Amino acid sequence: ADKHDSIDPAKAAGILFLAPDSQVLFLKRGPGGDHPGEWCFPGGHTEADETAIQTAERETIEELGFLPEGERKYLARRIDDVVDFVTFAQSVGEQFVPQVSGEHTGYAWADVNTPPEPLHPGCRVALTMLDANELTAARLMSQGELTSPQKFGRFSLFAIRITGTGAAYRDYADEIAWRDPADYLNDEFLARCNGLPVIFEHPTKGGVDSSEWLKRSVGTVFLPYISGDEVWAIAKIYDEDTITLLETEQLSTSPMVGVKTPDNFIHVDGKPKILLEGGPNTLDHIAICQRGVWDKGGEPAGIISDTIGDSSMATPEEEAKAKADAEAKERANAESNRWDALMGKMDSLCSRMDAMEGKKDSEESEDEKKAKADAAKKDEDEKAEREKEDKAKKDADELKQRMDAIEGKIPAERSDDETAEMADAQEKADSVLGALGQRAPRPLSGESSLGYRRRLAKIMQPHSKDWAGVNLNTLDKTTLGPVENAIRRDAMAFATSPGSAGAGAIRYREDRTPAGHTIRTPQGHIGSFLNQFRADSQAVLLKHPSQVSRGHRSMTTFNPYATTNA
C-alpha cells in the first residue's frame, strides 16, 4: 500500500500474444531505453488522452509492423515507482514473424512456462495471470505486484485494511485508544481474519446478527497479511453496487473488535482519556465506511482502488459497455427528438388547418408560394452538402486503408550480415541439391535469413532419416545450425548412395581394382552431373568489406559438412 503514496508513475500498455501449444511472443529490448537486454511484450508509453487499449494497439503496430486480428482482453495491471502498465492478452491462430523495430534487437516464440531470460518483471507477473485463480491474484496483490481491484467472475478482489495499531483518536468517545502491535501483527490474528464478513457501515446495535448480516453483507476476507504496522487483507466483494462505489469513490474501513480489558483507562486533566486496549477477544466484522479511526485523522485510506479517476485505463469490456450506453442514450435522445418534432408538426398542421378554414378555400398568396419554394431549396442544399461531406470522408478512409496496405507490403531492407548469411546457406544447399538434380531457390523478397535457412533445410529434410519428421519452424538460429548440417550430410549421403538415383539425379558406384584403388563412377542423369560444376545465375551476390577485392563482388566459399553457430 505504501507505494501508492509516491509520485504518479507513467502510464503504459502492451499485448501478450498467445499462439497454440502455449507459445508466447517476446521482444528483446535494445540498449536505448529502460530494462535494456530484457525480454518483454510489444507495448509502450501512453500518449495524450489514449486509453490503455489504444496505447497497446498503437505500440504493437509500431513495434511489430502490424496488428494481428482478434479479440484483446484485459489480463493484468501492475504499478511500480516508474510505470503503471496494463497487459492485454490475445490468442492468435499461429506463430507469425514480426517486423521488429529499432527499439528491439530480436524476437522469440517461447513456452509460457519457460520464457527467455532475463525477463522483464512485469511480464513475469502477466504470464502468471494467464492461468491464475483468485488465490494467485490475491497473493500478487498483497505483494504489490498487481493493482486493486482485480475482477474474477461475479466478484472483485479489493485490498482492504483490517486494523491499524498504535494510537488513534476516537472522536465519538473523545478518547485516544492504544492498540498494542504485538497483539495483532502475528500469524494467530491473521488466521482469525479468514472468513471475516465485510459489511457496509456498522450496525447501530454494534455486532452483526442474522438480520443485519442479510442487509449489510457485501463480501468476505480470505487472505490477510501484514503491511507495516497494519493488518491488511484481500476481500472478495460480491455486491455489484458496492463494487461500482469502491471503483469510483475513495472509502475506508473500520473493524469491530471486542477486547479483553475495555475499561483500562488513563485520565489526564483537561485532555482526552487514554484507553489501553487489551488483546482482541472477538473479531466480529470489518465495515466499509467513509472514514475510519485507523485513518488517524488523515484522508480515507482503508481501501486501495487504483481505478478511481482513471478512465484512461478502461478495459476493452468497459469501453464496449460505455460505447453501448452512449449509443443507447443517443438513440433515446433521437427518439425523443423525433417525437417532439412530430408533435411540432402536428401543432403546425393544426394551425394551418385553422388558417385554411378562416380563408375559406382562398388560394395561396405569392409570398406563401415563395416561402415554400425557398424552404424546399434549402432542404435540398443541406442534403447535397451532407452527401458531399459523407463522400469526402469515405474517400479519405479508403485512401488511408490503401496506404496502410502498401506500407505493410514494403519489405524490410536486409543488412550486410543477413545477406552474407543467406548467400552462405544458399551455396551450401546448392552443393547438396546439385547431387540430387535440383538447384537451391533464391531468397524471397522480404524473407528473413532464418526463414530462408529453414526453407532450404525443408527441401533436403525428406532425405534425412533422423530429422525427417522434425518441425523446423520451432528452431531458432542457435539450434537450427547443427540440424542444418546433419540434414545436409544425410541428403548428400542419400544422393551418393547406390540405388538412390532417380529421374534428374545422380549417384556414384564405387569399385576396387586388384591393386586396391577405389574408382567412383557417376550414374544417372548427365545434366545432374554437370549441374555440380555450373554457376548459378541467381545466386545471392555479396558486397561486404571482407569479401570484396578491387571493387568486384564475389561468392563465399564453404565446406558443406562444416558446422556453424548461426
Side-chain angles (χ1 to χ4, degrees):
D2 296 339
K3 70 179 182 180
H4 298 285
D5 298 330
S6 60
I7 299 175
D8 289 341
K11 289 182 171 60
I15 302 176
L16 181 158
F17 290 102
L18 181 64
D21 298 327
S22 301
Q23 296 295 302
V24 175
L25 175 63
F26 297 91
L27 302 181
K28 189 170 186 179
R29 294 195 177 209
D34 58 339
H35 295 271
E38 294 184 352
W39 291 87
C40 63
F41 309 135
H45 288 85
T46 298
E47 294 181 357
D49 296 328
E50 286 182 327
T51 63
I53 188 61
Q54 291 170 343
T55 296
E57 291 172 347
R58 175 183 54 76
E59 286 287 340
T60 296
I61 294 174
E62 292 177 3
E63 296 180 359
L64 300 187
F66 67 102
L67 179 64
E69 294 184 358
E71 182 182 5
R72 289 167 279 280
K73 295 183 178 181
Y74 171 87
L75 178 62
R77 183 182 180 191
R78 179 177 183 266
I79 301 178
D80 58 25
D81 294 332
V82 178
V83 66
D84 177 352
F85 199 96
V86 176
T87 301
F88 299 92
Q90 177 180 341
S91 295
V92 293
E94 61 182 358
Q95 298 179 20
F96 55 83
V97 177
Q99 299 176 10
V100 180
S101 69
E103 298 180 25
H104 303 89
T105 59
Y107 77 94
W109 288 92
D111 189 273
V112 64
N113 296 312
T114 55
E117 299 289 350
L119 182 65
H120 189 285
C123 295
R124 198 178 303 279
V125 172
L127 290 174
T128 302
M129 289 299 294
L130 272 177
D131 192 31
N133 54 35
E134 73 272 23
L135 180 58
T136 302
R139 285 170 174 162
L140 290 172
M141 290 170 65
S142 69
Q143 297 163 8
E145 294 293 343
L146 279 182
T147 54
S148 171
Q150 293 288 323
K151 189 170 183 61
F152 270 85
R154 297 184 179 182
F155 61 84
S156 289
L157 304 180
F158 282 86
I160 68 172
R161 181 180 59 213
I162 301 298
T163 182
T165 60
Y169 177 68
R170 293 174 175 153
D171 54 357
Y172 64 85
D174 190 25
E175 66 184 20
I176 297 174
W178 168 260
R179 189 160 285 182
D180 192 344
D183 292 332
Y184 293 86
L185 307 182
N186 56 71
D187 292 338
E188 181 179 355
F189 183 77
L190 294 183
R192 293 172 62 184
C193 293
N194 282 301
L196 183 68
V198 181
I199 67 171
F200 198 85
E201 293 288 357
H202 288 299
T204 55
K205 297 179 181 180
V208 175
D209 56 21
S210 60
S211 62
E212 291 289 358
W213 188 87
L214 289 173
K215 288 189 300 183
R216 299 177 181 273
S217 179
V218 295
T220 58
V221 168
F222 83 114
L223 183 69
Y225 60 94
I226 296 172
S227 178
D229 61 353
E230 298 177 330
V231 177
W232 281 70
I234 304 301
K236 293 182 180 178
I237 305 299
Y238 291 86
D239 183 69
E240 291 184 2
D241 292 336
T242 302
I243 292 173
T244 301
L245 181 63
L246 296 183
E247 288 177 339
T248 55
E249 300 291 337
Q250 182 58 60
L251 298 179
S252 193
T253 58
S254 176
M256 182 172 183
V257 180
V259 296
K260 296 178 181 178
T261 54
D263 57 348
N264 188 14
F265 288 101
I266 299 176
H267 296 273
V268 180
D269 293 339
K271 294 184 179 181
K273 59 187 177 182
I274 300 174
L275 170 63
L276 302 180
E277 291 185 350
N281 188 35
T282 57
L283 186 57
D284 191 82
H285 65 263
I286 181 73
I288 296 173
C289 57
Q290 290 187 336
R291 190 183 299 272
V293 170
W294 296 104
D295 293 324
K296 298 184 178 180
E299 294 297 320
I303 299 175
I304 296 177
S305 185
D306 294 308
T307 58
I308 296 176
D310 194 0
S311 60
S312 66
M313 288 298 155
T315 65
E317 294 84 356
E318 292 169 341
E319 284 192 339
K321 183 178 183 302
K323 182 179 179 181
D325 292 344
E327 291 175 349
K329 183 177 180 181
E330 184 177 352
R331 287 194 298 270
N333 291 337
E335 187 65 29
S336 176
N337 292 337
R338 284 196 295 270
W339 177 256
D340 292 342
L342 178 61
M343 294 304 296
K345 289 180 180 179
M346 290 295 294
D347 292 341
S348 177
L349 179 61
C350 290
S351 298
R352 289 200 299 272
M353 291 294 292
D354 292 342
M356 290 177 65
E357 289 179 1
K359 290 183 178 180
K360 297 184 181 295
D361 299 327
S362 62
E363 294 182 356
E364 291 181 336
S365 66
E366 291 298 320
D367 290 340
E368 289 175 327
K369 292 180 179 179
K370 184 177 184 303
K372 287 184 178 181
D374 291 342
K377 185 177 184 305
K378 182 179 179 182
D379 291 341
E380 288 295 328
D381 292 343
E382 290 177 350
K383 179 180 179 182
E385 185 64 23
R386 288 195 299 271
E387 291 176 349
K388 182 179 178 181
E389 292 175 355
D390 292 341
K391 184 177 184 304
K393 184 177 183 300
K394 181 179 179 181
D395 291 343
D397 291 340
E398 290 178 352
L399 178 60
K400 184 179 184 302
Q401 291 176 2
R402 289 197 297 269
M403 291 298 294
D404 291 343
I406 292 173
E407 289 179 0
K409 293 178 180 179
I410 298 176
E413 184 178 355
R414 295 192 185 102
S415 65
D416 290 342
D417 290 343
E418 266 199 312
T419 304
E421 181 182 348
M422 295 169 83
D424 181 63
Q426 180 185 22
E427 190 172 0
K428 289 179 178 179
D430 206 32
S431 176
V432 178
L433 291 173
L436 293 168
Q438 303 177 47
R439 303 300 294 171
R442 67 187 302 174
L444 300 177
S445 176
E447 186 174 27
S448 67
S449 59
L450 179 59
Y452 181 54
R453 289 169 55 194
R454 286 173 176 165
R455 186 156 62 91
L456 292 176
K458 288 177 182 178
I459 298 174
M460 299 176 282
Q461 191 177 11
H463 304 302
S464 175
K465 179 180 179 180
D466 295 333
W467 300 96
V470 174
N471 184 1
L472 301 182
N473 290 333
T474 63
L475 304 181
D476 56 18
K477 283 192 175 184
T478 302
T479 56
L480 181 60
V483 176
E484 281 179 303
N485 293 331
I487 290 175
R488 283 197 295 265
R489 285 195 297 269
D490 292 347
M492 181 60 80
F494 173 82
T496 58
S497 64
S500 63
I506 63 169
R507 63 180 176 80
Y508 290 88
R509 187 186 69 203
E510 294 187 357
D511 300 307
R512 297 189 58 89
T513 67
H517 300 100
T518 299
I519 299 176
R520 300 177 75 245
T521 304
Q523 296 181 344
H525 195 277
I526 186 63
S528 300
F529 177 76
L530 295 176
N531 276 342
Q532 300 177 88
F533 310 100
R534 184 171 60 200
D536 183 3
S537 60
Q538 293 184 340
V540 179
L541 293 178
L542 306 177
K543 192 170 184 179
H544 190 278
S546 65
Q547 299 168 324
V548 176
S549 175
R550 297 181 181 178
H552 294 286
R553 295 183 293 180
S554 63
M555 292 295 296
T556 56
T557 59
F558 75 104
N559 177 353
Y561 308 110
T563 59
T564 178
N565 291 321

